[in-house]
Amino acid sequence: MKRKLIAAIGIAGMMVSIAACGGDSDDDGKKAGADGYAGETLTVWVMDGSSPDDWQADLAKEFEAKTKAKVKFEIQKWNGIQQKLTTALSEENPPDVFEIGNTQTPAYAKTGGLADLSDLKGEIGTDWSESLNKSAVFDGKQYAAPWFVVNRVVVYNKKIWADAGIKETPKTRDEFYNDLKTIGEKTDAEPIYLPGQNWYHFVGLVIGEGAELVKKDGDKYVSNLDDPKVAAATETYKKFQALSKAPKDKDEATPQQGEIFAKGKTGSFIGMGWEGATAITTNPAIEKDLGYFTIPGATADKPEGVFLGGSNLAVAAGSKKQELAKEFLKLALSDKFEGALAKANGVIPNKDALQSNLKGNAAAEAAAPASATGDTTPLIPEWAAVENDPNPIKTYLTAVLKGKSPAEAAKQVEGEFNKRLAQQQ
């Protein structure tokens, strides 16, 4: 699932009185007693495709048995969700629980839209994966709960690799590069399809170098593209992209790289598991040759850095049913339901111990090893505007691939990058 995770716009000033409205009673002041929360209905917003219908039905049934309350799932579309959620959180009856993109979370937390879930973290989240939970924390407080993430892997054509005489998948970045060169030398296939603006993969390389895309300058954030570690990630991207015939000024969706791969003339590409499915839909005959492996890192003991895109679950600060909402989260995030979601959707669950549920899903099994050391784009509210088209990081990458040095390209986009980081949230 490809999602553009962008933070809310214009929340500031709308949440002033919301935070004080939360509680564990409904409009009539009724609290849970011997009959639990009988007669109450919890409203839960989930995004289209995030959770299967049977998962929702099973969870609703168990929730009602436990609390005597009902749950109403309302399916939302990613397109336009930031404004819809912003408006809903400012009203008297917001959704009680809602799915939120992991990189959206800081913006909503900063402006008071999310309830503090620190007590819930202490009760059920002591073994949440640190890499997944990072996005749910803002200013030292737990404002959401990690639900799941997905990340990129190498999707490859087994036949082409075999034709090149390669018997096993690479374990290091150098081995990966050398295998691709071998494919180029011994077959007529394109070794790797890597468009110049696959910027989420670039973010992963930056993470792998231990670098950041922004830095603090006094009380504001500014571009950090001139960091030598970012330049090193850029050189790695450039090295691999030189083995590709893909355009230097397009991203992985223009055209869809899964459709390119489906033609059977491409050795590999960096993408999401669902993009392999796109290839199969385009050309069912490709399925027998389709394989996945973890993106190799600089050394065999650590995978390449990856961007972790995914979702958290949050409770509205203005919900009048916060205690009931927490009861829902205890069930939804339990090993039973978290494991079932991972198995059904092939997503990385919020606990390392639950990754056994991915067994048999080749793409998910390939993605899992990198999730522990993966990361996100900067978890600051100011980041939202950076991703808007034309994305300055894409501009930076294309400039490098067309001949500028990383330092020159960083200087070229610095003004626009900093302008966006300075926009009011």
Side-chain angles (χ1 to χ4, degrees), residues 310-377:
S311 292
N312 297 327
L313 291 175
V315 174
S319 169
K320 299 178 178 64
K321 302 171 183 174
Q322 290 192 16
E323 293 306 313
L324 184 58
K326 291 176 184 178
E327 291 300 318
F328 173 84
L329 291 180
K330 289 175 188 178
L331 275 179
L333 300 169
S334 66
D335 288 1
K336 175 181 178 179
F337 285 101
E338 184 76 4
L341 184 69
K343 186 171 185 178
N345 281 6
V347 294
I348 310 301
N350 61 17
K351 297 179 182 180
D352 293 345
L354 295 177
Q355 290 185 11
S356 58
N357 289 280
L358 303 175
K359 188 174 182 180
N361 184 321
E365 287 186 285
S371 66
T373 52
D375 209 336
T376 67
T377 48

Side-chain angles (χ1 to χ4, degrees), residues 128-129 132-133 135-136 142 144-148 311-313 333 338 350:
W128 285 340
S129 169
L132 271 69
N133 190 54
S135 69
Q142 190 81 33
W147 196 17
F148 64 84
S311 292
N312 297 327
L313 291 175
L333 300 169
E338 184 76 4
N350 61 17

Side-chain angles (χ1 to χ4, degrees), residues 77 137 378 391:
K77 300 290 186 182
V137 177
N391 184 329

Side-chain angles (χ1 to χ4, degrees), residues 60-355:
K61 182 178 180 181
E62 192 158 326
F63 177 73
E64 184 172 357
K66 179 182 179 183
T67 66
K68 306 298 189 293
K70 296 184 181 298
V71 59
K72 180 182 180 183
F73 287 100
E74 296 184 351
I75 310 302
Q76 307 297 320
K77 300 290 186 182
W78 280 105
N79 186 28
I81 187 59
Q82 76 280 2
Q83 189 56 53
K84 183 174 183 179
L85 183 57
T86 297
T87 301
L89 292 178
S90 70
E91 295 175 341
E92 185 176 351
N93 293 303
D96 301 296
V97 178
F98 52 92
E99 177 182 352
I100 183 173
N102 57 354
T103 60
Q104 292 177 345
T105 305
Y108 288 99
K110 179 182 179 181
T111 50
L114 311 184
D116 185 346
L117 301 180
S118 297
D119 57 341
L120 189 73
K121 167 67 163 62
E123 186 174 350
I124 68 170
T126 56
D127 54 351
W128 285 340
S129 169
E130 183 179 351
S131 60
L132 271 69
N133 190 54
K134 183 178 178 182
S135 69
V137 177
F138 182 75
D139 274 354
K141 292 184 179 180
Q142 190 81 33
Y143 281 107
W147 196 17
F148 64 84
V149 296
V150 292
N151 57 262
R152 285 159 178 78
V153 299
V154 180
V155 185
Y156 77 110
N157 186 310
K158 296 177 182 179
K159 182 179 185 304
I160 290 174
W161 284 58
D163 289 346
I166 303 169
K167 300 183 184 303
E168 57 184 19
T169 55
K171 300 300 184 290
T172 68
R173 187 188 297 159
D174 286 344
E175 289 178 4
F176 185 25
Y177 180 76
N178 290 333
D179 285 346
L180 295 177
K181 281 189 66 179
T182 298
I183 290 171
E185 293 165 358
K186 295 188 176 182
T187 77
D188 60 357
E190 180 180 16
I192 184 171
Y193 184 85
L194 182 59
Q197 296 185 347
N198 189 340
W199 80 281
Y200 278 121
H201 176 49
F202 170 68
V203 169
L205 296 176
V206 171
I207 291 167
E209 292 290 344
E212 298 284 350
L213 292 169
V214 300
K215 61 186 175 183
K216 205 73 182 286
D217 180 17
D219 61 351
K220 62 183 179 180
Y221 287 98
V222 297
S223 169
N224 194 40
L225 290 177
D226 60 355
D227 186 316
K229 290 182 178 180
V230 175
T234 307
E235 293 294 352
T236 296
Y237 193 99
K238 181 180 179 180
K239 179 179 178 180
F240 279 81
Q241 207 280 328
L243 299 175
S244 176
K245 299 175 184 177
K248 295 177 171 56
D249 59 353
K250 302 294 182 183
D251 64 20
E252 69 278 13
T254 316
Q256 287 288 342
Q257 58 186 2
E259 295 176 356
I260 297 294
F261 183 82
K263 298 176 182 179
K265 303 290 187 181
T266 304
S268 62
F269 69 92
I270 306 293
M272 309 292 282
W274 63 262
E275 292 180 275
T278 296
I280 295 170
T281 299
T282 304
N283 176 20
I286 200 74
E287 184 171 10
K288 67 182 185 304
D289 298 323
L290 188 66
Y292 306 88
F293 60 86
T294 308
I295 305 173
T299 57
D301 61 333
K302 184 179 179 182
E304 185 60 85
V306 292
F307 169 75
L308 301 176
S311 292
N312 297 327
L313 291 175
V315 174
S319 169
K320 299 178 178 64
K321 302 171 183 174
Q322 290 192 16
E323 293 306 313
L324 184 58
K326 291 176 184 178
E327 291 300 318
F328 173 84
L329 291 180
K330 289 175 188 178
L331 275 179
L333 300 169
S334 66
D335 288 1
K336 175 181 178 179
F337 285 101
E338 184 76 4
L341 184 69
K343 186 171 185 178
N345 281 6
V347 294
I348 310 301
N350 61 17
K351 297 179 182 180
D352 293 345
L354 295 177
Q355 290 185 11

